[in-house]
Amino acid sequence: MPTSKPSKKPPRTSASRGDWFRDAAFGLFIHFGPYAVYGRGEQVIFRDQLDQVEYTRVACKWNPRQYDARTWAKIARDAGMKYACLTTRHHDGYCLWDTATTDYSSARQAPRRDMVREFVDAFREQGIRIGLYYSLVDWRIPAYFEGPAQNPEGWAKFRGFVHEQVRELLSGYGQIDIFWFDGNWPHPAKAWHGRELVAMMRRLQPGMLINNRLHAQQPPLGYEQTPGCDADDAFPEDAGDFSTPEQEITPDARRTWEACMTSTWRLWGYTTGERWHNADYLLDMLCKTASLGGNLILNVGPKPDGAFPAPFTSRMKAIGQWLKRHGEAIYGSEGGDVTEFVTYGMQTRRGNNLYLIMRFWDRRPEMTVAGLETKVLRATLLTTGKRLKVEQTADRLVIRGLPASPPTKLFPVIRLECEGPPRPRAWARERLWCGDPRPYVAWARQRGEGFNVDGG
Ligand code: FHN
């Protein structure tokens, strides 16, 4: 069902922090760790209930010799990604930075490398903003499972370990733009001393964005609730700056939001025998997210040797080329559900421009856009630069001069330059099901009242 109101970008997180993020629109999520050796996703130790000692042995031997953050950064840059978020520690507990809290790290084990350092340096060099993912869960630690009630002493020690690790990550690697908590479940933010933790983080990195997952209940898989959406409406100070719907593009009208999605069918860590989403499906995610006023962070699980899987790299190349030509419809755009356009695709807005993102190309020389109130001054097929003819009546805009063959394998975009911010007519704003039926009554009455062909 079409939404009843054009989706707007939610209120800014805070003028100082959120501007670049909402304009950036597109980020890279990287789930990298020793679990890649197994080729069965990032949770293999838990899902397969592997022997902890055996997994630790394999993890300590893991040495991704092809890990080259500069290559990763160039792929992300060419894909049009404006920020990137690396798992510094996932639920298996293995740390990718030179931490003093444990020897279970890439700095102390086989690689002898501070992979977080290499990541921040390489991506910053490409002008890409830095995000650090951090799992509160650590499946190695019994006190994590017992929790504060059953093991108050062990929990306090574990919580201290977590706070110190966060402090290290925010003290030793320069400006961090995003901190991406994950896995607070089943413990509430207060069990993590969330307010103290966030206060410390704000002191160390005042301009940094924090996601909502220290606070939002992150139920294990199989729960009803969409992971990453806040369980309640209140936003206490440990509730972070943006919502994180996962594996679905679900707007949060209350504030900035970022959909986190895999580029394969399911798992975040490297998985052999993957089913990959095609480039048009991945681009559809990005355009849909932008049309609803949010950001997309798209995931890759690097191979055990540290290289990105080739199917990911090729898809990102195609999307990057599309963004080179059509990026103005995505970066810095606002949600654009302005007119009745669901048949063709999606819309985004930017100032006085309305962008029509065409998922389907029906080869007809003209197309109709119904319900746009604002006068169109100029129409351009952004994909080729060709000027298009427009004829606008009260309720209908006809766009003419469209080429028969689709001008790109991905999504052609038409830019409508309007005499003001593009607005829908009342009936288009309300759509069929949500507003004043009278325009539709008059429209149906054109035929008469009755059930027969002649309206009798
Ligand atoms: O359990 C994790 C999962 O492994 C992955 O890291 C995702 C990414 O958003 N977060 C949790 C599931 O919601």
Side-chain angles (χ1 to χ4, degrees):
M1 179 188 294
T3 51
S4 60
K5 294 213 171 9
S7 46
K8 285 184 176 309
K9 281 273 189 185
R12 286 186 183 280
T13 303
S14 79
S16 58
R17 281 197 214 113
D19 285 2
W20 73 267
F21 184 61
R22 294 175 42 222
D23 293 343
F26 189 26
L28 175 62
F29 213 171
I30 308 167
H31 275 69
F32 189 39
Y35 38 78
V37 170
Y38 293 85
R40 299 203 296 276
E42 74 288 352
Q43 299 191 2
V44 63
I45 183 175
F46 184 86
R47 299 289 160 185
D48 291 13
Q49 283 294 291
L50 298 179
D51 176 276
Q52 288 265 3
V53 175
E54 173 55 16
Y55 182 91
T56 303
R57 189 188 64 75
V58 170
C60 289
K61 269 182 60 185
W62 172 62
N63 191 0
R65 291 187 171 80
Q66 301 307 317
Y67 168 50
D68 178 358
R70 284 165 307 178
T71 303
W72 287 8
K74 287 185 187 121
I75 292 169
R77 176 202 62 195
D78 294 348
M81 293 163 150
K82 302 300 182 188
Y83 61 99
C85 192
L86 172 68
T87 51
T88 60
R89 175 170 74 70
H90 204 262
H91 312 338
D92 64 344
Y94 186 92
C95 302
L96 295 190
W97 77 100
D98 188 7
T99 172
T101 60
T102 172
D103 60 359
Y104 195 45
S105 76
S106 58
R108 305 284 185 83
Q109 298 308 320
R112 316 294 290 180
R113 294 163 74 175
D114 184 329
M115 297 183 177
V116 169
R117 165 83 56 210
E118 294 177 42
F119 164 76
V120 298
D121 292 347
F123 279 75
R124 237 176 238 141
E125 197 179 307
Q126 296 299 335
I128 297 174
R129 295 244 188 186
I130 300 298
L132 299 180
Y133 165 108
Y134 180 80
S135 164
L136 292 156
V137 171
D138 187 333
W139 281 327
R140 300 176 311 149
I141 312 298
Y144 156 72
F145 293 98
E146 293 165 310
Q150 280 185 37
N151 180 354
E153 212 175 290
W155 176 262
K157 213 167 146 213
F158 174 56
R159 185 179 57 226
F161 167 81
V162 164
H163 280 231
E164 176 55 14
Q165 289 204 327
V166 172
R167 191 198 62 75
E168 285 181 339
L169 287 167
L170 299 185
S171 310
Y173 295 92
Q175 178 183 315
I176 304 302
D177 299 293
I178 296 173
F179 203 86
W180 218 97
F181 279 115
D182 201 11
N184 66 351
W185 70 78
H187 309 297
K190 62 179 181 300
W192 298 101
H193 283 187
R195 293 189 179 192
E196 295 82 340
L197 183 56
V198 167
M200 180 258 286
M201 297 169 75
R202 297 291 189 206
R203 274 197 307 277
L204 291 170
Q205 299 276 351
M208 180 178 71
L209 289 170
I210 302 172
N211 78 348
N212 67 332
R213 294 195 178 190
L214 173 60
H215 171 72
Q217 274 309 302
Q218 270 299 293
L221 292 181
Y223 268 52
E224 283 306 308
Q225 181 196 359
T226 304
C229 289
D230 295 290
D232 55 35
D233 281 339
F235 288 142
E237 55 265 34
D238 59 7
D241 301 307
F242 62 94
S243 299
T244 53
E246 176 172 323
Q247 297 289 45
E248 60 179 58
I249 296 167
T250 317
D252 183 342
R254 303 164 300 179
R255 61 174 175 169
T256 304
W257 57 280
E258 170 200 69
C260 52
M261 306 292 282
T262 53
S263 45
T264 54
W265 281 25
R266 170 63 191 90
L267 298 176
W268 302 82
Y270 178 68
T271 311
T272 51
E274 276 295 9
R275 287 182 186 276
W276 290 87
H277 292 310
N278 289 330
D280 56 2
Y281 188 88
L282 298 174
L283 180 61
D284 196 55
M285 286 184 193
L286 176 61
C287 295
K288 182 178 176 193
T289 308
S291 75
L292 292 170
N295 280 28
L296 171 71
I297 187 165
L298 187 61
N299 181 74
V300 62
K303 297 189 294 187
D305 66 1
F308 281 171
F312 178 78
T313 306
S314 60
R315 284 154 175 76
M316 289 308 104
K317 192 160 175 253
I319 288 176
Q321 282 162 354
W322 185 89
L323 281 166
K324 272 201 179 65
R325 168 72 62 170
H326 306 96
E328 67 177 85
I330 303 294
Y331 301 122
S333 70
E334 308 249 8
D337 185 12
V338 175
T339 68
E340 180 50 64
F341 196 66
V342 72
T343 314
Y344 288 98
M346 298 156 276
Q347 302 171 69
T348 61
R349 287 174 300 133
R350 192 187 156 120
N352 290 351
N353 292 348
L354 180 62
Y355 295 92
L356 309 179
I357 302 172
M358 319 282 290
R359 299 165 83 204
F360 314 108
W361 193 259
D362 60 15
R363 296 177 173 275
R364 293 187 305 116
E366 64 183 49
M367 63 179 284
T368 299
V369 178
L372 178 62
E373 182 171 77
T374 319
K375 184 171 169 32
V376 173
L377 304 175
R378 177 201 305 250
T380 308
L381 179 56
L382 208 49
T383 315
T384 61
K386 182 186 178 195
R387 183 78 184 269
L388 301 169
K389 291 188 180 57
V390 291
E391 188 188 315
Q392 193 167 12
T393 60
D395 275 330
R396 195 166 295 101
L397 176 77
V398 180
I399 301 171
R400 294 200 167 89
L402 299 171
S405 50
T408 166
K409 283 203 192 82
L410 290 172
F411 300 162
V413 177
I414 294 172
R415 177 180 60 209
L416 301 179
E417 294 167 69
C418 302
E419 68 176 4
R423 300 283 313 147
R425 288 211 161 277
W427 70 265
R429 190 167 48 249
E430 300 304 333
R431 295 294 196 284
L432 275 171
W433 298 274
C434 321
D436 176 1
R438 283 172 298 179
Y440 297 98
V441 171
W443 176 62
R445 195 165 275 137
Q446 287 171 352
R447 201 193 50 80
E449 300 283 343
F451 300 109
N452 296 318
V453 168
D454 63 2

